[in-house]
Amino acid sequence: MASRREEQQESARLHVMRLLSDNPKISTRGLADVVGISNGSAYYVLKSLISTGLVKLERFSNNKQKRQYAYLLTSRGIREKSILTNRFIKRKRQEFEDLKAEIQALEEGADLVLKATQASEENKSL
């Protein structure tokens, strides 16, 4: 079982990969703003994805600003994004089931308290 920190890092990687597949020209600052992480963290995630071969960096040669790049998912990146998506869905479904069980337990507990309160009030009126 993954730790909470590992889950958060995996979720951030997935979120970044999804954003890159939708908008390859997004900046690290744009990534950071959308994902809700610091610019340094976005840069770190992006560099990690590039160094592991999941994302490739492409420079626009016909652009006046030679510093503008596109971040493209590689075939390995597309496969990894699919794997991360499946794990994310599985984790969220489990969280959903756990929440449903907790809500049901709370509702049952609240119902018991409500019944006890009503019984107490009925005894007082007799």
Side-chain angles (χ1 to χ4, degrees), residues 91-111:
R91 188 171 60 247
K92 291 301 177 180
R93 281 191 176 142
Q94 184 60 52
E95 288 176 15
F96 177 71
E97 292 301 321
D98 293 345
L99 281 172
K100 278 187 2 183
E102 184 177 354
I103 289 169
Q104 184 177 358
L106 288 170
E107 287 174 341
E108 289 170 0
D111 190 39

mmCIF file with all atom_site columns, all heavy atoms in Angstrom, residues 91-111:
data_model
loop_
_atom_site.group_PDB
_atom_site.id
_atom_site.type_symbol
_atom_site.label_atom_id
_atom_site.label_alt_id
_atom_site.label_comp_id
_atom_site.label_asym_id
_atom_site.label_entity_id
_atom_site.label_seq_id
_atom_site.pdbx_PDB_ins_code
_atom_site.Cartn_x
_atom_site.Cartn_y
_atom_site.Cartn_z
_atom_site.occupancy
_atom_site.B_iso_or_equiv
_atom_site.pdbx_formal_charge
_atom_site.auth_seq_id
_atom_site.auth_comp_id
_atom_site.auth_asym_id
_atom_site.auth_atom_id
_atom_site.pdbx_PDB_model_num
ATOM 1   N N   . ARG A 1 91  ? -8.157  3.852  -6.619  1.00 0.00 ? 91  ARG A N   1
ATOM 2   C CA  . ARG A 1 91  ? -8.001  4.466  -5.302  1.00 0.00 ? 91  ARG A CA  1
ATOM 3   C C   . ARG A 1 91  ? -9.217  5.321  -4.950  1.00 0.00 ? 91  ARG A C   1
ATOM 4   O O   . ARG A 1 91  ? -9.738  5.270  -3.832  1.00 0.00 ? 91  ARG A O   1
ATOM 5   C CB  . ARG A 1 91  ? -6.716  5.303  -5.280  1.00 0.00 ? 91  ARG A CB  1
ATOM 6   C CG  . ARG A 1 91  ? -6.362  5.831  -3.915  1.00 0.00 ? 91  ARG A CG  1
ATOM 7   C CD  . ARG A 1 91  ? -4.979  6.469  -3.858  1.00 0.00 ? 91  ARG A CD  1
ATOM 8   N NE  . ARG A 1 91  ? -4.826  7.590  -4.764  1.00 0.00 ? 91  ARG A NE  1
ATOM 9   C CZ  . ARG A 1 91  ? -4.021  7.610  -5.835  1.00 0.00 ? 91  ARG A CZ  1
ATOM 10  N NH1 . ARG A 1 91  ? -3.293  6.565  -6.140  1.00 0.00 ? 91  ARG A NH1 1
ATOM 11  N NH2 . ARG A 1 91  ? -3.934  8.669  -6.604  1.00 0.00 ? 91  ARG A NH2 1
ATOM 12  N N   . LYS A 1 92  ? -9.710  6.102  -5.913  1.00 0.00 ? 92  LYS A N   1
ATOM 13  C CA  . LYS A 1 92  ? -10.861 6.970  -5.663  1.00 0.00 ? 92  LYS A CA  1
ATOM 14  C C   . LYS A 1 92  ? -12.136 6.153  -5.437  1.00 0.00 ? 92  LYS A C   1
ATOM 15  O O   . LYS A 1 92  ? -12.971 6.523  -4.619  1.00 0.00 ? 92  LYS A O   1
ATOM 16  C CB  . LYS A 1 92  ? -11.061 7.972  -6.801  1.00 0.00 ? 92  LYS A CB  1
ATOM 17  C CG  . LYS A 1 92  ? -9.966  9.012  -6.863  1.00 0.00 ? 92  LYS A CG  1
ATOM 18  C CD  . LYS A 1 92  ? -9.884  9.785  -5.569  1.00 0.00 ? 92  LYS A CD  1
ATOM 19  C CE  . LYS A 1 92  ? -8.768  10.779 -5.566  1.00 0.00 ? 92  LYS A CE  1
ATOM 20  N NZ  . LYS A 1 92  ? -8.668  11.533 -4.310  1.00 0.00 ? 92  LYS A NZ  1
ATOM 21  N N   . ARG A 1 93  ? -12.279 5.033  -6.154  1.00 0.00 ? 93  ARG A N   1
ATOM 22  C CA  . ARG A 1 93  ? -13.442 4.169  -5.921  1.00 0.00 ? 93  ARG A CA  1
ATOM 23  C C   . ARG A 1 93  ? -13.415 3.592  -4.514  1.00 0.00 ? 93  ARG A C   1
ATOM 24  O O   . ARG A 1 93  ? -14.449 3.497  -3.855  1.00 0.00 ? 93  ARG A O   1
ATOM 25  C CB  . ARG A 1 93  ? -13.488 3.050  -6.952  1.00 0.00 ? 93  ARG A CB  1
ATOM 26  C CG  . ARG A 1 93  ? -14.021 3.493  -8.286  1.00 0.00 ? 93  ARG A CG  1
ATOM 27  C CD  . ARG A 1 93  ? -14.293 2.334  -9.198  1.00 0.00 ? 93  ARG A CD  1
ATOM 28  N NE  . ARG A 1 93  ? -14.896 2.845  -10.425 1.00 0.00 ? 93  ARG A NE  1
ATOM 29  C CZ  . ARG A 1 93  ? -14.633 2.382  -11.621 1.00 0.00 ? 93  ARG A CZ  1
ATOM 30  N NH1 . ARG A 1 93  ? -13.797 1.380  -11.785 1.00 0.00 ? 93  ARG A NH1 1
ATOM 31  N NH2 . ARG A 1 93  ? -15.211 2.893  -12.673 1.00 0.00 ? 93  ARG A NH2 1
ATOM 32  N N   . GLN A 1 94  ? -12.226 3.198  -4.055  1.00 0.00 ? 94  GLN A N   1
ATOM 33  C CA  . GLN A 1 94  ? -12.099 2.667  -2.697  1.00 0.00 ? 94  GLN A CA  1
ATOM 34  C C   . GLN A 1 94  ? -12.418 3.748  -1.674  1.00 0.00 ? 94  GLN A C   1
ATOM 35  O O   . GLN A 1 94  ? -13.117 3.491  -0.684  1.00 0.00 ? 94  GLN A O   1
ATOM 36  C CB  . GLN A 1 94  ? -10.694 2.097  -2.464  1.00 0.00 ? 94  GLN A CB  1
ATOM 37  C CG  . GLN A 1 94  ? -10.537 1.435  -1.110  1.00 0.00 ? 94  GLN A CG  1
ATOM 38  C CD  . GLN A 1 94  ? -11.502 0.279  -0.914  1.00 0.00 ? 94  GLN A CD  1
ATOM 39  O OE1 . GLN A 1 94  ? -11.583 -0.613 -1.749  1.00 0.00 ? 94  GLN A OE1 1
ATOM 40  N NE2 . GLN A 1 94  ? -12.237 0.288  0.186   1.00 0.00 ? 94  GLN A NE2 1
ATOM 41  N N   . GLU A 1 95  ? -11.911 4.964  -1.904  1.00 0.00 ? 95  GLU A N   1
ATOM 42  C CA  . GLU A 1 95  ? -12.226 6.081  -1.010  1.00 0.00 ? 95  GLU A CA  1
ATOM 43  C C   . GLU A 1 95  ? -13.727 6.337  -0.982  1.00 0.00 ? 95  GLU A C   1
ATOM 44  O O   . GLU A 1 95  ? -14.300 6.594  0.087   1.00 0.00 ? 95  GLU A O   1
ATOM 45  C CB  . GLU A 1 95  ? -11.494 7.349  -1.457  1.00 0.00 ? 95  GLU A CB  1
ATOM 46  C CG  . GLU A 1 95  ? -10.001 7.331  -1.208  1.00 0.00 ? 95  GLU A CG  1
ATOM 47  C CD  . GLU A 1 95  ? -9.307  8.559  -1.756  1.00 0.00 ? 95  GLU A CD  1
ATOM 48  O OE1 . GLU A 1 95  ? -9.985  9.574  -2.077  1.00 0.00 ? 95  GLU A OE1 1
ATOM 49  O OE2 . GLU A 1 95  ? -8.063  8.526  -1.872  1.00 0.00 ? 95  GLU A OE2 1
ATOM 50  N N   . PHE A 1 96  ? -14.371 6.250  -2.139  1.00 0.00 ? 96  PHE A N   1
ATOM 51  C CA  . PHE A 1 96  ? -15.811 6.442  -2.233  1.00 0.00 ? 96  PHE A CA  1
ATOM 52  C C   . PHE A 1 96  ? -16.561 5.396  -1.421  1.00 0.00 ? 96  PHE A C   1
ATOM 53  O O   . PHE A 1 96  ? -17.486 5.718  -0.665  1.00 0.00 ? 96  PHE A O   1
ATOM 54  C CB  . PHE A 1 96  ? -16.231 6.414  -3.708  1.00 0.00 ? 96  PHE A CB  1
ATOM 55  C CG  . PHE A 1 96  ? -17.707 6.525  -3.923  1.00 0.00 ? 96  PHE A CG  1
ATOM 56  C CD1 . PHE A 1 96  ? -18.373 7.718  -3.689  1.00 0.00 ? 96  PHE A CD1 1
ATOM 57  C CD2 . PHE A 1 96  ? -18.448 5.438  -4.381  1.00 0.00 ? 96  PHE A CD2 1
ATOM 58  C CE1 . PHE A 1 96  ? -19.740 7.821  -3.897  1.00 0.00 ? 96  PHE A CE1 1
ATOM 59  C CE2 . PHE A 1 96  ? -19.807 5.530  -4.587  1.00 0.00 ? 96  PHE A CE2 1
ATOM 60  C CZ  . PHE A 1 96  ? -20.458 6.726  -4.346  1.00 0.00 ? 96  PHE A CZ  1
ATOM 61  N N   . GLU A 1 97  ? -16.153 4.132  -1.571  1.00 0.00 ? 97  GLU A N   1
ATOM 62  C CA  . GLU A 1 97  ? -16.803 3.048  -0.815  1.00 0.00 ? 97  GLU A CA  1
ATOM 63  C C   . GLU A 1 97  ? -16.592 3.239  0.685   1.00 0.00 ? 97  GLU A C   1
ATOM 64  O O   . GLU A 1 97  ? -17.520 3.026  1.480   1.00 0.00 ? 97  GLU A O   1
ATOM 65  C CB  . GLU A 1 97  ? -16.282 1.681  -1.269  1.00 0.00 ? 97  GLU A CB  1
ATOM 66  C CG  . GLU A 1 97  ? -16.683 1.304  -2.683  1.00 0.00 ? 97  GLU A CG  1
ATOM 67  C CD  . GLU A 1 97  ? -18.192 1.269  -2.893  1.00 0.00 ? 97  GLU A CD  1
ATOM 68  O OE1 . GLU A 1 97  ? -18.921 0.815  -1.985  1.00 0.00 ? 97  GLU A OE1 1
ATOM 69  O OE2 . GLU A 1 97  ? -18.636 1.695  -3.971  1.00 0.00 ? 97  GLU A OE2 1
ATOM 70  N N   . ASP A 1 98  ? -15.383 3.632  1.078   1.00 0.00 ? 98  ASP A N   1
ATOM 71  C CA  . ASP A 1 98  ? -15.092 3.881  2.493   1.00 0.00 ? 98  ASP A CA  1
ATOM 72  C C   . ASP A 1 98  ? -15.952 5.020  3.027   1.00 0.00 ? 98  ASP A C   1
ATOM 73  O O   . ASP A 1 98  ? -16.487 4.945  4.145   1.00 0.00 ? 98  ASP A O   1
ATOM 74  C CB  . ASP A 1 98  ? -13.612 4.196  2.698   1.00 0.00 ? 98  ASP A CB  1
ATOM 75  C CG  . ASP A 1 98  ? -12.707 3.008  2.421   1.00 0.00 ? 98  ASP A CG  1
ATOM 76  O OD1 . ASP A 1 98  ? -13.210 1.860  2.338   1.00 0.00 ? 98  ASP A OD1 1
ATOM 77  O OD2 . ASP A 1 98  ? -11.484 3.227  2.264   1.00 0.00 ? 98  ASP A OD2 1
ATOM 78  N N   . LEU A 1 99  ? -16.104 6.081  2.242   1.00 0.00 ? 99  LEU A N   1
ATOM 79  C CA  . LEU A 1 99  ? -16.938 7.209  2.665   1.00 0.00 ? 99  LEU A CA  1
ATOM 80  C C   . LEU A 1 99  ? -18.411 6.805  2.777   1.00 0.00 ? 99  LEU A C   1
ATOM 81  O O   . LEU A 1 99  ? -19.100 7.222  3.716   1.00 0.00 ? 99  LEU A O   1
ATOM 82  C CB  . LEU A 1 99  ? -16.799 8.374  1.682   1.00 0.00 ? 99  LEU A CB  1
ATOM 83  C CG  . LEU A 1 99  ? -15.545 9.222  1.833   1.00 0.00 ? 99  LEU A CG  1
ATOM 84  C CD1 . LEU A 1 99  ? -15.432 10.210 0.685   1.00 0.00 ? 99  LEU A CD1 1
ATOM 85  C CD2 . LEU A 1 99  ? -15.545 9.958  3.160   1.00 0.00 ? 99  LEU A CD2 1
ATOM 86  N N   . LYS A 1 100 ? -18.881 6.015  1.822   1.00 0.00 ? 100 LYS A N   1
ATOM 87  C CA  . LYS A 1 100 ? -20.270 5.553  1.893   1.00 0.00 ? 100 LYS A CA  1
ATOM 88  C C   . LYS A 1 100 ? -20.499 4.755  3.166   1.00 0.00 ? 100 LYS A C   1
ATOM 89  O O   . LYS A 1 100 ? -21.519 4.939  3.848   1.00 0.00 ? 100 LYS A O   1
ATOM 90  C CB  . LYS A 1 100 ? -20.613 4.698  0.671   1.00 0.00 ? 100 LYS A CB  1
ATOM 91  C CG  . LYS A 1 100 ? -20.968 5.493  -0.535  1.00 0.00 ? 100 LYS A CG  1
ATOM 92  C CD  . LYS A 1 100 ? -21.478 4.739  -1.746  1.00 0.00 ? 100 LYS A CD  1
ATOM 93  C CE  . LYS A 1 100 ? -21.640 3.287  -1.691  1.00 0.00 ? 100 LYS A CE  1
ATOM 94  N NZ  . LYS A 1 100 ? -22.075 2.678  -2.963  1.00 0.00 ? 100 LYS A NZ  1
ATOM 95  N N   . ALA A 1 101 ? -19.554 3.874  3.505   1.00 0.00 ? 101 ALA A N   1
ATOM 96  C CA  . ALA A 1 101 ? -19.693 3.064  4.726   1.00 0.00 ? 101 ALA A CA  1
ATOM 97  C C   . ALA A 1 101 ? -19.663 3.955  5.963   1.00 0.00 ? 101 ALA A C   1
ATOM 98  O O   . ALA A 1 101 ? -20.443 3.747  6.908   1.00 0.00 ? 101 ALA A O   1
ATOM 99  C CB  . ALA A 1 101 ? -18.573 2.021  4.788   1.00 0.00 ? 101 ALA A CB  1
ATOM 100 N N   . GLU A 1 102 ? -18.787 4.953  5.959   1.00 0.00 ? 102 GLU A N   1
ATOM 101 C CA  . GLU A 1 102 ? -18.702 5.860  7.113   1.00 0.00 ? 102 GLU A CA  1
ATOM 102 C C   . GLU A 1 102 ? -19.981 6.684  7.258   1.00 0.00 ? 102 GLU A C   1
ATOM 103 O O   . GLU A 1 102 ? -20.502 6.860  8.361   1.00 0.00 ? 102 GLU A O   1
ATOM 104 C CB  . GLU A 1 102 ? -17.493 6.791  6.959   1.00 0.00 ? 102 GLU A CB  1
ATOM 105 C CG  . GLU A 1 102 ? -17.274 7.690  8.149   1.00 0.00 ? 102 GLU A CG  1
ATOM 106 C CD  . GLU A 1 102 ? -16.034 8.558  8.024   1.00 0.00 ? 102 GLU A CD  1
ATOM 107 O OE1 . GLU A 1 102 ? -15.263 8.383  7.065   1.00 0.00 ? 102 GLU A OE1 1
ATOM 108 O OE2 . GLU A 1 102 ? -15.843 9.421  8.903   1.00 0.00 ? 102 GLU A OE2 1
ATOM 109 N N   . ILE A 1 103 ? -20.503 7.169  6.145   1.00 0.00 ? 103 ILE A N   1
ATOM 110 C CA  . ILE A 1 103 ? -21.749 7.938  6.183   1.00 0.00 ? 103 ILE A CA  1
ATOM 111 C C   . ILE A 1 103 ? -22.899 7.071  6.686   1.00 0.00 ? 103 ILE A C   1
ATOM 112 O O   . ILE A 1 103 ? -23.703 7.503  7.516   1.00 0.00 ? 103 ILE A O   1
ATOM 113 C CB  . ILE A 1 103 ? -22.061 8.528  4.790   1.00 0.00 ? 103 ILE A CB  1
ATOM 114 C CG1 . ILE A 1 103 ? -21.085 9.656  4.466   1.00 0.00 ? 103 ILE A CG1 1
ATOM 115 C CG2 . ILE A 1 103 ? -23.507 9.024  4.706   1.00 0.00 ? 103 ILE A CG2 1
ATOM 116 C CD1 . ILE A 1 103 ? -21.132 10.128 3.029   1.00 0.00 ? 103 ILE A CD1 1
ATOM 117 N N   . GLN A 1 104 ? -22.955 5.840  6.219   1.00 0.00 ? 104 GLN A N   1
ATOM 118 C CA  . GLN A 1 104 ? -24.010 4.934  6.661   1.00 0.00 ? 104 GLN A CA  1
ATOM 119 C C   . GLN A 1 104 ? -23.906 4.687  8.164   1.00 0.00 ? 104 GLN A C   1
ATOM 120 O O   . GLN A 1 104 ? -24.911 4.715  8.880   1.00 0.00 ? 104 GLN A O   1
ATOM 121 C CB  . GLN A 1 104 ? -23.937 3.617  5.904   1.00 0.00 ? 104 GLN A CB  1
ATOM 122 C CG  . GLN A 1 104 ? -25.067 2.674  6.257   1.00 0.00 ? 104 GLN A CG  1
ATOM 123 C CD  . GLN A 1 104 ? -25.032 1.396  5.435   1.00 0.00 ? 104 GLN A CD  1
ATOM 124 O OE1 . GLN A 1 104 ? -24.181 1.224  4.570   1.00 0.00 ? 104 GLN A OE1 1
ATOM 125 N NE2 . GLN A 1 104 ? -25.959 0.500  5.711   1.00 0.00 ? 104 GLN A NE2 1
ATOM 126 N N   . ALA A 1 105 ? -22.688 4.481  8.652   1.00 0.00 ? 105 ALA A N   1
ATOM 127 C CA  . ALA A 1 105 ? -22.492 4.255  10.092  1.00 0.00 ? 105 ALA A CA  1
ATOM 128 C C   . ALA A 1 105 ? -22.897 5.496  10.892  1.00 0.00 ? 105 ALA A C   1
ATOM 129 O O   . ALA A 1 105 ? -23.544 5.381  11.945  1.00 0.00 ? 105 ALA A O   1
ATOM 130 C CB  . ALA A 1 105 ? -21.037 3.890  10.373  1.00 0.00 ? 105 ALA A CB  1
ATOM 131 N N   . LEU A 1 106 ? -22.555 6.673  10.393  1.00 0.00 ? 106 LEU A N   1
ATOM 132 C CA  . LEU A 1 106 ? -22.931 7.908  11.076  1.00 0.00 ? 106 LEU A CA  1
ATOM 133 C C   . LEU A 1 106 ? -24.441 8.106  11.070  1.00 0.00 ? 106 LEU A C   1
ATOM 134 O O   . LEU A 1 106 ? -25.028 8.514  12.083  1.00 0.00 ? 106 LEU A O   1
ATOM 135 C CB  . LEU A 1 106 ? -22.244 9.112  10.418  1.00 0.00 ? 106 LEU A CB  1
ATOM 136 C CG  . LEU A 1 106 ? -20.747 9.233  10.652  1.00 0.00 ? 106 LEU A CG  1
ATOM 137 C CD1 . LEU A 1 106 ? -20.146 10.307 9.759   1.00 0.00 ? 106 LEU A CD1 1
ATOM 138 C CD2 . LEU A 1 106 ? -20.462 9.531  12.113  1.00 0.00 ? 106 LEU A CD2 1
ATOM 139 N N   . GLU A 1 107 ? -25.066 7.802  9.939   1.00 0.00 ? 107 GLU A N   1
ATOM 140 C CA  . GLU A 1 107 ? -26.520 7.936  9.862   1.00 0.00 ? 107 GLU A CA  1
ATOM 141 C C   . GLU A 1 107 ? -27.211 6.963  10.805  1.00 0.00 ? 107 GLU A C   1
ATOM 142 O O   . GLU A 1 107 ? -28.182 7.323  11.479  1.00 0.00 ? 107 GLU A O   1
ATOM 143 C CB  . GLU A 1 107 ? -26.999 7.703  8.423   1.00 0.00 ? 107 GLU A CB  1
ATOM 144 C CG  . GLU A 1 107 ? -26.678 8.841  7.496   1.00 0.00 ? 107 GLU A CG  1
ATOM 145 C CD  . GLU A 1 107 ? -27.025 8.563  6.045   1.00 0.00 ? 107 GLU A CD  1
ATOM 146 O OE1 . GLU A 1 107 ? -27.177 7.377  5.669   1.00 0.00 ? 107 GLU A OE1 1
ATOM 147 O OE2 . GLU A 1 107 ? -27.148 9.532  5.292   1.00 0.00 ? 107 GLU A OE2 1
ATOM 148 N N   . GLU A 1 108 ? -26.702 5.737  10.883  1.00 0.00 ? 108 GLU A N   1
ATOM 149 C CA  . GLU A 1 108 ? -27.273 4.763  11.811  1.00 0.00 ? 108 GLU A CA  1
ATOM 150 C C   . GLU A 1 108 ? -27.078 5.207  13.251  1.00 0.00 ? 108 GLU A C   1
ATOM 151 O O   . GLU A 1 108 ? -27.986 5.086  14.066  1.00 0.00 ? 108 GLU A O   1
ATOM 152 C CB  . GLU A 1 108 ? -26.650 3.387  11.574  1.00 0.00 ? 108 GLU A CB  1
ATOM 153 C CG  . GLU A 1 108 ? -27.095 2.746  10.277  1.00 0.00 ? 108 GLU A CG  1
ATOM 154 C CD  . GLU A 1 108 ? -26.303 1.494  9.918   1.00 0.00 ? 108 GLU A CD  1
ATOM 155 O OE1 . GLU A 1 108 ? -25.392 1.102  10.678  1.00 0.00 ? 108 GLU A OE1 1
ATOM 156 O OE2 . GLU A 1 108 ? -26.609 0.912  8.867   1.00 0.00 ? 108 GLU A OE2 1
ATOM 157 N N   . GLY A 1 109 ? -25.892 5.760  13.550  1.00 0.00 ? 109 GLY A N   1
ATOM 158 C CA  . GLY A 1 109 ? -25.635 6.264  14.895  1.00 0.00 ? 109 GLY A CA  1
ATOM 159 C C   . GLY A 1 109 ? -26.522 7.446  15.229  1.00 0.00 ? 109 GLY A C   1
ATOM 160 O O   . GLY A 1 109 ? -27.052 7.559  16.337  1.00 0.00 ? 109 GLY A O   1
ATOM 161 N N   . ALA A 1 110 ? -26.733 8.326  14.272  1.00 0.00 ? 110 ALA A N   1
ATOM 162 C CA  . ALA A 1 110 ? -27.600 9.483  14.481  1.00 0.00 ? 110 ALA A CA  1
ATOM 163 C C   . ALA A 1 110 ? -29.044 9.044  14.669  1.00 0.00 ? 110 ALA A C   1
ATOM 164 O O   . ALA A 1 110 ? -29.788 9.618  15.469  1.00 0.00 ? 110 ALA A O   1
ATOM 165 C CB  . ALA A 1 110 ? -27.482 10.454 13.313  1.00 0.00 ? 110 ALA A CB  1
ATOM 166 N N   . ASP A 1 111 ? -29.445 8.008  13.945  1.00 0.00 ? 111 ASP A N   1
ATOM 167 C CA  . ASP A 1 111 ? -30.800 7.489  14.067  1.00 0.00 ? 111 ASP A CA  1
ATOM 168 C C   . ASP A 1 111 ? -31.023 6.910  15.462  1.00 0.00 ? 111 ASP A C   1
ATOM 169 O O   . ASP A 1 111 ? -32.075 7.095  16.063  1.00 0.00 ? 111 ASP A O   1
ATOM 170 C CB  . ASP A 1 111 ? -31.054 6.431  12.988  1.00 0.00 ? 111 ASP A CB  1
ATOM 171 C CG  . ASP A 1 111 ? -32.519 6.035  12.897  1.00 0.00 ? 111 ASP A CG  1
ATOM 172 O OD1 . ASP A 1 111 ? -33.380 6.930  13.029  1.00 0.00 ? 111 ASP A OD1 1
ATOM 173 O OD2 . ASP A 1 111 ? -32.795 4.836  12.694  1.00 0.00 ? 111 ASP A OD2 1
#
